[in-house]
Amino acid sequence: MIIGLVTAVAASACYGTGSVLQAVGSRKSARREAAKASSTGTTQHGGPSLSSTAKAAVTWEFMVGTVLDFLGFGLGALAARMLPLFLSQTVISANLVVTALLSIKLLGIRLTKPEWASIGVVCSALVLLATAAGHEGGGDTSMSTHWWLLIISVVLMGGGTVAVRLLGARAAILAGLLSGLGFGAIGVGVRILNGIDPFDLPKLIADPALYAILISGAVGMYLHTVALQIGSVNGATAALVVGETILPGIIGVLLLGDNSRPGFAWVAVLGFVLAVAGAVAVAWFGEPDTPVEAESQPQELQPTAVR
Protein backbone atom coordinates (compact mmCIF):
# COMPACT_ATOMS: atom_id res chain seq x y z
CA MET A 1 0.00 0.00 0.00
CA ILE A 2 2.75 2.49 0.99
CA ILE A 3 4.79 1.79 -2.15
CA GLY A 4 1.66 2.20 -4.26
CA LEU A 5 0.85 5.55 -2.63
CA VAL A 6 4.40 6.84 -3.13
CA THR A 7 4.27 5.75 -6.77
CA ALA A 8 0.91 7.49 -7.30
CA VAL A 9 2.20 10.70 -5.68
CA ALA A 10 5.27 10.65 -7.95
CA ALA A 11 3.01 10.16 -10.98
CA SER A 12 0.91 13.09 -9.82
CA ALA A 13 3.98 15.34 -9.54
CA CYS A 14 5.12 14.34 -13.05
CA TYR A 15 1.69 14.97 -14.57
CA GLY A 16 1.23 18.30 -12.79
CA THR A 17 4.65 19.63 -13.75
CA GLY A 18 4.20 18.34 -17.29
CA SER A 19 0.85 20.13 -17.68
CA VAL A 20 2.31 23.50 -16.71
CA LEU A 21 5.34 23.08 -19.00
CA GLN A 22 3.01 22.11 -21.84
CA ALA A 23 0.91 25.19 -21.13
CA VAL A 24 4.05 27.35 -21.26
CA GLY A 25 4.94 25.84 -24.64
CA SER A 26 1.40 26.27 -25.95
CA ARG A 27 1.32 29.93 -24.96
CA LYS A 28 4.75 30.59 -26.44
CA SER A 29 3.59 29.08 -29.72
CA ALA A 30 0.37 31.11 -29.62
CA ARG A 31 2.31 34.36 -29.08
CA ARG A 32 4.43 33.58 -32.12
CA GLU A 33 1.32 32.96 -34.21
CA ALA A 34 -0.23 36.21 -32.97
CA ALA A 35 2.97 38.17 -33.68
CA LYS A 36 2.93 36.90 -37.25
CA ALA A 37 -0.76 37.79 -37.55
CA SER A 38 -1.20 34.25 -38.81
CA SER A 39 -4.65 33.09 -39.87
CA THR A 40 -3.66 29.42 -39.93
CA GLY A 41 -3.57 29.03 -36.17
CA THR A 42 -7.32 28.62 -35.74
CA THR A 43 -10.10 26.70 -37.44
CA GLN A 44 -13.28 28.26 -38.80
CA HIS A 45 -14.87 27.52 -35.40
CA GLY A 46 -12.21 29.48 -33.51
CA GLY A 47 -10.35 26.50 -32.06
CA PRO A 48 -6.66 25.70 -32.60
CA SER A 49 -5.80 24.13 -35.94
CA LEU A 50 -3.82 20.91 -36.22
CA SER A 51 -0.83 22.91 -37.44
CA SER A 52 -0.92 25.23 -34.42
CA THR A 53 -1.19 22.25 -32.08
CA ALA A 54 1.77 20.62 -33.84
CA LYS A 55 3.81 23.83 -33.49
CA ALA A 56 3.00 23.96 -29.79
CA ALA A 57 4.13 20.36 -29.42
CA VAL A 58 7.65 21.05 -30.73
CA THR A 59 8.54 23.80 -28.25
CA TRP A 60 11.16 22.58 -25.78
CA GLU A 61 8.90 23.23 -22.80
CA PHE A 62 6.14 21.12 -24.32
CA MET A 63 8.54 18.29 -25.16
CA VAL A 64 9.94 18.21 -21.61
CA GLY A 65 6.37 18.24 -20.31
CA THR A 66 5.53 15.31 -22.60
CA VAL A 67 8.51 13.32 -21.28
CA LEU A 68 7.22 13.93 -17.76
CA ASP A 69 3.77 12.79 -18.88
CA PHE A 70 5.21 9.51 -20.15
CA LEU A 71 7.09 9.06 -16.89
CA GLY A 72 3.87 9.81 -15.03
CA PHE A 73 2.06 7.28 -17.20
CA GLY A 74 4.52 4.56 -16.26
CA LEU A 75 4.31 5.37 -12.56
CA GLY A 76 0.52 5.67 -12.75
CA ALA A 77 0.23 2.29 -14.46
CA LEU A 78 2.29 0.73 -11.69
CA ALA A 79 0.13 2.42 -9.03
CA ALA A 80 -3.06 1.20 -10.74
CA ARG A 81 -1.92 -2.38 -10.25
CA MET A 82 -1.05 -1.87 -6.57
CA LEU A 83 -3.96 0.27 -5.30
CA PRO A 84 -7.75 0.39 -5.66
CA LEU A 85 -8.55 2.50 -8.72
CA PHE A 86 -10.64 4.96 -6.72
CA LEU A 87 -7.50 5.71 -4.68
CA SER A 88 -4.76 5.53 -7.33
CA GLN A 89 -6.66 7.63 -9.87
CA THR A 90 -7.64 10.23 -7.28
CA VAL A 91 -4.10 10.58 -5.92
CA ILE A 92 -2.76 10.88 -9.46
CA SER A 93 -5.44 13.46 -10.17
CA ALA A 94 -4.05 15.56 -7.34
CA ASN A 95 -1.69 16.84 -10.01
CA LEU A 96 -4.31 19.61 -10.08
CA VAL A 97 -2.67 21.00 -6.95
CA VAL A 98 0.82 20.77 -8.47
CA THR A 99 -0.47 22.45 -11.63
CA ALA A 100 -2.11 25.28 -9.71
CA LEU A 101 0.97 26.02 -7.59
CA LEU A 102 3.45 25.87 -10.47
CA SER A 103 1.21 27.99 -12.70
CA ILE A 104 1.64 30.84 -10.22
CA LYS A 105 5.41 30.80 -10.73
CA LEU A 106 5.75 29.78 -14.38
CA LEU A 107 2.65 31.36 -15.90
CA GLY A 108 2.18 34.31 -13.55
CA ILE A 109 -1.42 33.28 -12.86
CA ARG A 110 -3.27 34.72 -9.88
CA LEU A 111 -5.50 32.21 -8.10
CA THR A 112 -8.74 33.48 -6.58
CA LYS A 113 -9.86 32.69 -3.04
CA PRO A 114 -12.53 30.23 -4.28
CA GLU A 115 -9.85 28.41 -6.29
CA TRP A 116 -7.59 28.13 -3.23
CA ALA A 117 -10.56 26.86 -1.19
CA SER A 118 -11.39 24.29 -3.87
CA ILE A 119 -7.81 23.06 -3.95
CA GLY A 120 -7.97 22.70 -0.16
CA VAL A 121 -11.10 20.55 -0.54
CA VAL A 122 -9.28 18.27 -3.00
CA CYS A 123 -6.33 17.84 -0.61
CA SER A 124 -8.68 17.04 2.30
CA ALA A 125 -10.50 14.50 0.14
CA LEU A 126 -7.25 12.75 -0.66
CA VAL A 127 -6.53 12.34 3.04
CA LEU A 128 -9.96 10.75 3.52
CA LEU A 129 -9.44 8.37 0.60
CA ALA A 130 -6.01 7.29 1.78
CA THR A 131 -7.45 6.63 5.24
CA ALA A 132 -10.37 4.56 3.91
CA ALA A 133 -8.71 2.55 1.15
CA GLY A 134 -8.55 -1.21 1.49
CA HIS A 135 -6.93 -3.80 -0.77
CA GLU A 136 -7.25 -3.59 -4.53
CA GLY A 137 -9.32 -6.21 -6.30
CA GLY A 138 -8.09 -8.57 -8.98
CA GLY A 139 -7.82 -7.77 -12.65
CA ASP A 140 -9.47 -10.95 -13.86
CA THR A 141 -12.40 -10.08 -16.10
CA SER A 142 -14.09 -11.70 -19.07
CA MET A 143 -12.69 -10.95 -22.52
CA SER A 144 -15.95 -9.16 -23.36
CA THR A 145 -14.96 -6.48 -20.82
CA HIS A 146 -11.70 -5.93 -22.69
CA TRP A 147 -13.58 -5.55 -25.98
CA TRP A 148 -16.09 -3.16 -24.45
CA LEU A 149 -13.25 -1.02 -23.11
CA LEU A 150 -11.79 -0.80 -26.62
CA ILE A 151 -15.14 0.01 -28.24
CA ILE A 152 -16.01 2.70 -25.69
CA SER A 153 -12.53 4.20 -25.98
CA VAL A 154 -12.81 4.45 -29.78
CA VAL A 155 -16.28 6.01 -29.60
CA LEU A 156 -15.36 8.50 -26.86
CA MET A 157 -12.03 9.54 -28.33
CA GLY A 158 -13.23 9.65 -31.96
CA GLY A 159 -16.55 11.34 -31.26
CA GLY A 160 -14.98 13.65 -28.71
CA THR A 161 -12.33 14.85 -31.14
CA VAL A 162 -15.01 15.74 -33.70
CA ALA A 163 -17.10 17.54 -31.07
CA VAL A 164 -14.11 19.54 -29.81
CA ARG A 165 -13.20 20.67 -33.30
CA LEU A 166 -16.80 21.74 -34.00
CA LEU A 167 -17.07 23.68 -30.73
CA GLY A 168 -13.77 25.44 -31.38
CA ALA A 169 -12.83 28.08 -28.80
CA ARG A 170 -15.67 26.98 -26.48
CA ALA A 171 -14.36 23.43 -26.12
CA ALA A 172 -11.71 23.85 -23.39
CA ILE A 173 -13.60 22.13 -20.56
CA LEU A 174 -15.00 19.41 -22.86
CA ALA A 175 -11.51 18.70 -24.22
CA GLY A 176 -10.15 18.49 -20.68
CA LEU A 177 -12.96 16.17 -19.60
CA LEU A 178 -12.52 13.87 -22.60
CA SER A 179 -8.77 13.71 -22.12
CA GLY A 180 -9.43 12.72 -18.51
CA LEU A 181 -11.78 9.95 -19.65
CA GLY A 182 -9.04 8.76 -21.98
CA PHE A 183 -6.48 8.69 -19.17
CA GLY A 184 -9.04 6.97 -16.95
CA ALA A 185 -9.48 4.28 -19.59
CA ILE A 186 -5.72 3.77 -19.44
CA GLY A 187 -5.98 3.08 -15.69
CA VAL A 188 -8.72 0.50 -16.23
CA GLY A 189 -6.89 -1.04 -19.18
CA VAL A 190 -3.65 -1.42 -17.23
CA ARG A 191 -5.49 -3.17 -14.40
CA ILE A 192 -7.16 -5.76 -16.64
CA LEU A 193 -4.38 -6.15 -19.22
CA ASN A 194 -3.42 -9.76 -19.91
CA GLY A 195 0.14 -10.93 -20.41
CA ILE A 196 1.76 -8.71 -17.79
CA ASP A 197 2.26 -11.01 -14.80
CA PRO A 198 3.72 -13.37 -15.87
CA PHE A 199 4.89 -11.64 -19.04
CA ASP A 200 3.47 -13.25 -22.18
CA LEU A 201 4.02 -11.17 -25.35
CA PRO A 202 1.55 -13.02 -27.67
CA LYS A 203 -1.15 -12.82 -25.01
CA LEU A 204 -0.41 -9.13 -24.45
CA ILE A 205 -0.59 -8.27 -28.16
CA ALA A 206 -3.87 -10.18 -28.55
CA ASP A 207 -5.58 -8.25 -25.73
CA PRO A 208 -8.03 -5.55 -26.94
CA ALA A 209 -7.29 -3.63 -23.72
CA LEU A 210 -3.79 -2.90 -25.03
CA TYR A 211 -5.23 -1.04 -28.02
CA ALA A 212 -7.71 0.77 -25.82
CA ILE A 213 -4.71 2.02 -23.80
CA LEU A 214 -2.84 3.16 -26.93
CA ILE A 215 -5.83 4.92 -28.51
CA SER A 216 -6.94 6.57 -25.27
CA GLY A 217 -3.40 7.70 -24.49
CA ALA A 218 -2.66 9.19 -27.92
CA VAL A 219 -5.99 10.97 -28.41
CA GLY A 220 -6.20 11.95 -24.74
CA MET A 221 -2.82 13.67 -25.07
CA TYR A 222 -4.01 15.57 -28.15
CA LEU A 223 -7.23 16.69 -26.45
CA HIS A 224 -5.30 17.78 -23.37
CA THR A 225 -3.05 19.89 -25.58
CA VAL A 226 -6.08 21.54 -27.20
CA ALA A 227 -7.58 22.25 -23.76
CA LEU A 228 -4.34 23.93 -22.66
CA GLN A 229 -4.25 26.02 -25.85
CA ILE A 230 -7.72 27.49 -25.56
CA GLY A 231 -8.59 27.48 -21.86
CA SER A 232 -7.43 28.01 -18.31
CA VAL A 233 -4.66 25.58 -17.38
CA ASN A 234 -6.25 25.02 -13.96
CA GLY A 235 -9.76 24.68 -15.40
CA ALA A 236 -8.64 22.25 -18.10
CA THR A 237 -6.70 20.18 -15.56
CA ALA A 238 -9.68 20.17 -13.19
CA ALA A 239 -11.95 18.88 -15.95
CA LEU A 240 -9.34 16.20 -16.68
CA VAL A 241 -9.40 15.23 -12.99
CA VAL A 242 -13.15 14.60 -13.11
CA GLY A 243 -12.92 12.38 -16.18
CA GLU A 244 -9.85 10.56 -14.90
CA THR A 245 -11.35 9.80 -11.50
CA ILE A 246 -15.09 9.08 -11.60
CA LEU A 247 -15.50 6.26 -14.13
CA PRO A 248 -12.34 4.31 -13.19
CA GLY A 249 -13.30 4.54 -9.52
CA ILE A 250 -16.81 3.21 -10.19
CA ILE A 251 -15.55 0.47 -12.52
CA GLY A 252 -12.95 -0.58 -9.95
CA VAL A 253 -15.61 -1.04 -7.27
CA LEU A 254 -18.32 -2.64 -9.43
CA LEU A 255 -16.23 -4.86 -11.73
CA LEU A 256 -12.75 -5.30 -10.29
CA GLY A 257 -13.45 -5.90 -6.61
CA ASP A 258 -11.84 -2.75 -5.16
CA ASN A 259 -13.00 -2.01 -1.64
CA SER A 260 -12.47 0.14 1.42
CA ARG A 261 -11.36 -0.84 4.91
CA PRO A 262 -14.12 -2.47 7.00
CA GLY A 263 -16.38 0.24 8.39
CA PHE A 264 -14.75 2.99 6.27
CA ALA A 265 -16.97 2.80 3.20
CA TRP A 266 -18.69 6.09 4.06
CA VAL A 267 -15.30 7.78 4.44
CA ALA A 268 -14.26 6.54 0.98
CA VAL A 269 -17.52 7.76 -0.57
CA LEU A 270 -17.21 11.14 1.14
CA GLY A 271 -13.59 11.53 0.04
CA PHE A 272 -14.43 10.55 -3.53
CA VAL A 273 -17.34 12.99 -3.74
CA LEU A 274 -15.32 15.83 -2.21
CA ALA A 275 -12.40 15.20 -4.59
CA VAL A 276 -14.65 15.41 -7.64
CA ALA A 277 -16.59 18.40 -6.25
CA GLY A 278 -13.35 20.25 -5.50
CA ALA A 279 -12.06 19.63 -9.02
CA VAL A 280 -15.34 20.82 -10.54
CA ALA A 281 -15.16 23.93 -8.37
CA VAL A 282 -11.67 24.76 -9.65
CA ALA A 283 -12.97 24.48 -13.22
CA TRP A 284 -16.05 26.55 -12.35
CA PHE A 285 -14.24 29.36 -10.55
CA GLY A 286 -11.17 29.37 -12.78
CA GLU A 287 -10.86 32.38 -15.04
CA PRO A 288 -9.04 32.35 -18.38
CA ASP A 289 -5.36 32.62 -17.62
CA THR A 290 -4.07 36.18 -17.64
CA PRO A 291 -0.35 36.01 -16.92
CA VAL A 292 1.22 39.11 -15.48
CA GLU A 293 3.75 39.30 -18.29
CA ALA A 294 0.98 39.12 -20.88
CA GLU A 295 -0.69 42.21 -19.43
CA SER A 296 2.38 44.25 -20.20
CA GLN A 297 2.60 43.09 -23.82
CA PRO A 298 1.29 45.21 -26.68
CA GLN A 299 -2.24 44.19 -27.53
CA GLU A 300 -1.28 42.73 -30.90
CA LEU A 301 1.27 40.42 -29.26
CA GLN A 302 -0.96 38.95 -26.58
CA PRO A 303 -1.75 35.23 -27.02
CA THR A 304 -5.45 35.55 -27.79
CA ALA A 305 -5.53 32.02 -29.18
CA VAL A 306 -5.27 30.60 -25.66
CA ARG A 307 -7.85 32.80 -23.94
PDB file of all heavy atoms in Angstrom, residues 140-159:
ATOM      1  N   ASP A 140      -8.916  -9.885 -13.030  1.00  0.00           N
ATOM      2  CA  ASP A 140      -9.466 -10.953 -13.857  1.00  0.00           C
ATOM      3  C   ASP A 140     -10.892 -10.610 -14.267  1.00  0.00           C
ATOM      4  O   ASP A 140     -11.794 -10.526 -13.433  1.00  0.00           O
ATOM      5  CB  ASP A 140      -9.455 -12.278 -13.092  1.00  0.00           C
ATOM      6  CG  ASP A 140      -8.044 -12.724 -12.735  1.00  0.00           C
ATOM      7  OD1 ASP A 140      -7.137 -12.434 -13.534  1.00  0.00           O
ATOM      8  OD2 ASP A 140      -7.862 -13.349 -11.672  1.00  0.00           O
ATOM      9  N   THR A 141     -11.082 -10.379 -15.555  1.00  0.00           N
ATOM     10  CA  THR A 141     -12.405 -10.081 -16.099  1.00  0.00           C
ATOM     11  C   THR A 141     -12.588 -10.882 -17.375  1.00  0.00           C
ATOM     12  O   THR A 141     -11.617 -11.385 -17.963  1.00  0.00           O
ATOM     13  CB  THR A 141     -12.552  -8.581 -16.422  1.00  0.00           C
ATOM     14  OG1 THR A 141     -11.509  -8.197 -17.332  1.00  0.00           O
ATOM     15  CG2 THR A 141     -12.466  -7.729 -15.174  1.00  0.00           C
ATOM     16  N   SER A 142     -13.826 -10.984 -17.822  1.00  0.00           N
ATOM     17  CA  SER A 142     -14.092 -11.701 -19.068  1.00  0.00           C
ATOM     18  C   SER A 142     -13.528 -10.914 -20.248  1.00  0.00           C
ATOM     19  O   SER A 142     -13.372  -9.688 -20.179  1.00  0.00           O
ATOM     20  CB  SER A 142     -15.600 -11.897 -19.240  1.00  0.00           C
ATOM     21  OG  SER A 142     -16.250 -10.643 -19.400  1.00  0.00           O
ATOM     22  N   MET A 143     -13.253 -11.617 -21.344  1.00  0.00           N
ATOM     23  CA  MET A 143     -12.693 -10.951 -22.519  1.00  0.00           C
ATOM     24  C   MET A 143     -13.665  -9.930 -23.091  1.00  0.00           C
ATOM     25  O   MET A 143     -13.250  -8.953 -23.721  1.00  0.00           O
ATOM     26  CB  MET A 143     -12.332 -11.994 -23.580  1.00  0.00           C
ATOM     27  CG  MET A 143     -11.569 -11.441 -24.772  1.00  0.00           C
ATOM     28  SD  MET A 143     -10.071 -10.505 -24.317  1.00  0.00           S
ATOM     29  CE  MET A 143      -9.057 -11.824 -23.643  1.00  0.00           C
ATOM     30  N   SER A 144     -14.966 -10.128 -22.862  1.00  0.00           N
ATOM     31  CA  SER A 144     -15.948  -9.158 -23.359  1.00  0.00           C
ATOM     32  C   SER A 144     -15.717  -7.777 -22.729  1.00  0.00           C
ATOM     33  O   SER A 144     -15.925  -6.745 -23.383  1.00  0.00           O
ATOM     34  CB  SER A 144     -17.370  -9.640 -23.069  1.00  0.00           C
ATOM     35  OG  SER A 144     -17.601  -9.748 -21.669  1.00  0.00           O
ATOM     36  N   THR A 145     -15.265  -7.751 -21.475  1.00  0.00           N
ATOM     37  CA  THR A 145     -14.965  -6.477 -20.819  1.00  0.00           C
ATOM     38  C   THR A 145     -13.820  -5.767 -21.531  1.00  0.00           C
ATOM     39  O   THR A 145     -13.847  -4.542 -21.714  1.00  0.00           O
ATOM     40  CB  THR A 145     -14.588  -6.710 -19.344  1.00  0.00           C
ATOM     41  OG1 THR A 145     -15.664  -7.377 -18.679  1.00  0.00           O
ATOM     42  CG2 THR A 145     -14.315  -5.383 -18.647  1.00  0.00           C
ATOM     43  N   HIS A 146     -12.828  -6.504 -21.966  1.00  0.00           N
ATOM     44  CA  HIS A 146     -11.697  -5.935 -22.689  1.00  0.00           C
ATOM     45  C   HIS A 146     -12.165  -5.339 -24.015  1.00  0.00           C
ATOM     46  O   HIS A 146     -11.718  -4.254 -24.395  1.00  0.00           O
ATOM     47  CB  HIS A 146     -10.641  -7.018 -22.949  1.00  0.00           C
ATOM     48  CG  HIS A 146     -10.045  -7.587 -21.697  1.00  0.00           C
ATOM     49  ND1 HIS A 146      -8.677  -7.711 -21.505  1.00  0.00           N
ATOM     50  CD2 HIS A 146     -10.608  -8.074 -20.557  1.00  0.00           C
ATOM     51  CE1 HIS A 146      -8.439  -8.247 -20.321  1.00  0.00           C
ATOM     52  NE2 HIS A 146      -9.597  -8.483 -19.738  1.00  0.00           N
ATOM     53  N   TRP A 147     -13.065  -6.056 -24.715  1.00  0.00           N
ATOM     54  CA  TRP A 147     -13.584  -5.552 -25.982  1.00  0.00           C
ATOM     55  C   TRP A 147     -14.447  -4.313 -25.769  1.00  0.00           C
ATOM     56  O   TRP A 147     -14.374  -3.351 -26.560  1.00  0.00           O
ATOM     57  CB  TRP A 147     -14.383  -6.639 -26.706  1.00  0.00           C
ATOM     58  CG  TRP A 147     -13.520  -7.619 -27.433  1.00  0.00           C
ATOM     59  CD1 TRP A 147     -13.251  -8.915 -27.100  1.00  0.00           C
ATOM     60  CD2 TRP A 147     -12.788  -7.364 -28.642  1.00  0.00           C
ATOM     61  NE1 TRP A 147     -12.407  -9.488 -28.007  1.00  0.00           N
ATOM     62  CE2 TRP A 147     -12.102  -8.565 -28.972  1.00  0.00           C
ATOM     63  CE3 TRP A 147     -12.636  -6.248 -29.468  1.00  0.00           C
ATOM     64  CZ2 TRP A 147     -11.294  -8.661 -30.103  1.00  0.00           C
ATOM     65  CZ3 TRP A 147     -11.834  -6.346 -30.590  1.00  0.00           C
ATOM     66  CH2 TRP A 147     -11.174  -7.538 -30.895  1.00  0.00           C
ATOM     67  N   TRP A 148     -15.258  -4.324 -24.725  1.00  0.00           N
ATOM     68  CA  TRP A 148     -16.092  -3.159 -24.446  1.00  0.00           C
ATOM     69  C   TRP A 148     -15.243  -1.938 -24.121  1.00  0.00           C
ATOM     70  O   TRP A 148     -15.574  -0.814 -24.514  1.00  0.00           O
ATOM     71  CB  TRP A 148     -17.065  -3.457 -23.295  1.00  0.00           C
ATOM     72  CG  TRP A 148     -18.335  -4.083 -23.743  1.00  0.00           C
ATOM     73  CD1 TRP A 148     -18.772  -5.346 -23.468  1.00  0.00           C
ATOM     74  CD2 TRP A 148     -19.336  -3.485 -24.558  1.00  0.00           C
ATOM     75  NE1 TRP A 148     -19.980  -5.577 -24.063  1.00  0.00           N
ATOM     76  CE2 TRP A 148     -20.362  -4.449 -24.739  1.00  0.00           C
ATOM     77  CE3 TRP A 148     -19.482  -2.239 -25.156  1.00  0.00           C
ATOM     78  CZ2 TRP A 148     -21.503  -4.185 -25.493  1.00  0.00           C
ATOM     79  CZ3 TRP A 148     -20.616  -1.974 -25.917  1.00  0.00           C
ATOM     80  CH2 TRP A 148     -21.616  -2.931 -26.073  1.00  0.00           C
ATOM     81  N   LEU A 149     -14.145  -2.137 -23.413  1.00  0.00           N
ATOM     82  CA  LEU A 149     -13.253  -1.024 -23.114  1.00  0.00           C
ATOM     83  C   LEU A 149     -12.687  -0.435 -24.402  1.00  0.00           C
ATOM     84  O   LEU A 149     -12.621   0.799 -24.555  1.00  0.00           O
ATOM     85  CB  LEU A 149     -12.105  -1.494 -22.214  1.00  0.00           C
ATOM     86  CG  LEU A 149     -11.088  -0.414 -21.824  1.00  0.00           C
ATOM     87  CD1 LEU A 149     -11.749   0.683 -20.996  1.00  0.00           C
ATOM     88  CD2 LEU A 149      -9.913  -1.029 -21.050  1.00  0.00           C
ATOM     89  N   LEU A 150     -12.316  -1.285 -25.350  1.00  0.00           N
ATOM     90  CA  LEU A 150     -11.789  -0.801 -26.623  1.00  0.00           C
ATOM     91  C   LEU A 150     -12.864  -0.051 -27.408  1.00  0.00           C
ATOM     92  O   LEU A 150     -12.608   1.048 -27.942  1.00  0.00           O
ATOM     93  CB  LEU A 150     -11.260  -1.984 -27.446  1.00  0.00           C
ATOM     94  CG  LEU A 150     -10.777  -1.641 -28.867  1.00  0.00           C
ATOM     95  CD1 LEU A 150      -9.668  -0.610 -28.826  1.00  0.00           C
ATOM     96  CD2 LEU A 150     -10.334  -2.913 -29.588  1.00  0.00           C
ATOM     97  N   ILE A 151     -14.059  -0.623 -27.479  1.00  0.00           N
ATOM     98  CA  ILE A 151     -15.144   0.011 -28.241  1.00  0.00           C
ATOM     99  C   ILE A 151     -15.494   1.374 -27.657  1.00  0.00           C
ATOM    100  O   ILE A 151     -15.623   2.382 -28.385  1.00  0.00           O
ATOM    101  CB  ILE A 151     -16.387  -0.907 -28.260  1.00  0.00           C
ATOM    102  CG1 ILE A 151     -16.093  -2.169 -29.080  1.00  0.00           C
ATOM    103  CG2 ILE A 151     -17.597  -0.165 -28.830  1.00  0.00           C
ATOM    104  CD1 ILE A 151     -17.151  -3.245 -28.951  1.00  0.00           C
ATOM    105  N   ILE A 152     -15.653   1.431 -26.340  1.00  0.00           N
ATOM    106  CA  ILE A 152     -16.009   2.697 -25.690  1.00  0.00           C
ATOM    107  C   ILE A 152     -14.903   3.728 -25.869  1.00  0.00           C
ATOM    108  O   ILE A 152     -15.163   4.920 -26.090  1.00  0.00           O
ATOM    109  CB  ILE A 152     -16.303   2.457 -24.196  1.00  0.00           C
ATOM    110  CG1 ILE A 152     -17.582   1.625 -24.039  1.00  0.00           C
ATOM    111  CG2 ILE A 152     -16.452   3.788 -23.447  1.00  0.00           C
ATOM    112  CD1 ILE A 152     -17.857   1.169 -22.629  1.00  0.00           C
ATOM    113  N   SER A 153     -13.655   3.284 -25.803  1.00  0.00           N
ATOM    114  CA  SER A 153     -12.526   4.198 -25.985  1.00  0.00           C
ATOM    115  C   SER A 153     -12.533   4.801 -27.388  1.00  0.00           C
ATOM    116  O   SER A 153     -12.330   6.011 -27.564  1.00  0.00           O
ATOM    117  CB  SER A 153     -11.197   3.464 -25.741  1.00  0.00           C
ATOM    118  OG  SER A 153     -11.098   3.019 -24.408  1.00  0.00           O
ATOM    119  N   VAL A 154     -12.776   3.957 -28.390  1.00  0.00           N
ATOM    120  CA  VAL A 154     -12.812   4.445 -29.779  1.00  0.00           C
ATOM    121  C   VAL A 154     -13.944   5.445 -29.972  1.00  0.00           C
ATOM    122  O   VAL A 154     -13.758   6.510 -30.582  1.00  0.00           O
ATOM    123  CB  VAL A 154     -12.958   3.265 -30.760  1.00  0.00           C
ATOM    124  CG1 VAL A 154     -13.244   3.772 -32.174  1.00  0.00           C
ATOM    125  CG2 VAL A 154     -11.702   2.409 -30.760  1.00  0.00           C
ATOM    126  N   VAL A 155     -15.119   5.117 -29.446  1.00  0.00           N
ATOM    127  CA  VAL A 155     -16.276   6.006 -29.601  1.00  0.00           C
ATOM    128  C   VAL A 155     -16.045   7.336 -28.891  1.00  0.00           C
ATOM    129  O   VAL A 155     -16.284   8.419 -29.457  1.00  0.00           O
ATOM    130  CB  VAL A 155     -17.548   5.317 -29.068  1.00  0.00           C
ATOM    131  CG1 VAL A 155     -18.712   6.320 -29.021  1.00  0.00           C
ATOM    132  CG2 VAL A 155     -17.924   4.128 -29.939  1.00  0.00           C
ATOM    133  N   LEU A 156     -15.578   7.273 -27.640  1.00  0.00           N
ATOM    134  CA  LEU A 156     -15.360   8.496 -26.865  1.00  0.00           C
ATOM    135  C   LEU A 156     -14.268   9.374 -27.474  1.00  0.00           C
ATOM    136  O   LEU A 156     -14.441  10.583 -27.641  1.00  0.00           O
ATOM    137  CB  LEU A 156     -14.989   8.150 -25.421  1.00  0.00           C
ATOM    138  CG  LEU A 156     -16.123   7.894 -24.439  1.00  0.00           C
ATOM    139  CD1 LEU A 156     -15.552   7.519 -23.083  1.00  0.00           C
ATOM    140  CD2 LEU A 156     -17.030   9.105 -24.315  1.00  0.00           C
ATOM    141  N   MET A 157     -13.153   8.760 -27.815  1.00  0.00           N
ATOM    142  CA  MET A 157     -12.034   9.545 -28.331  1.00  0.00           C
ATOM    143  C   MET A 157     -12.322  10.062 -29.738  1.00  0.00           C
ATOM    144  O   MET A 157     -12.026  11.215 -30.064  1.00  0.00           O
ATOM    145  CB  MET A 157     -10.754   8.705 -28.333  1.00  0.00           C
ATOM    146  CG  MET A 157     -10.273   8.293 -26.935  1.00  0.00           C
ATOM    147  SD  MET A 157      -9.802   9.694 -25.870  1.00  0.00           S
ATOM    148  CE  MET A 157     -11.280   9.880 -24.861  1.00  0.00           C
ATOM    149  N   GLY A 158     -12.912   9.218 -30.592  1.00  0.00           N
ATOM    150  CA  GLY A 158     -13.232   9.655 -31.956  1.00  0.00           C
ATOM    151  C   GLY A 158     -14.327  10.702 -31.973  1.00  0.00           C
ATOM    152  O   GLY A 158     -14.174  11.780 -32.566  1.00  0.00           O
ATOM    153  N   GLY A 159     -15.448  10.391 -31.304  1.00  0.00           N
ATOM    154  CA  GLY A 159     -16.554  11.342 -31.261  1.00  0.00           C
ATOM    155  C   GLY A 159     -16.183  12.613 -30.531  1.00  0.00           C
ATOM    156  O   GLY A 159     -16.590  13.718 -30.919  1.00  0.00           O
TER     157      GLY A 159
END
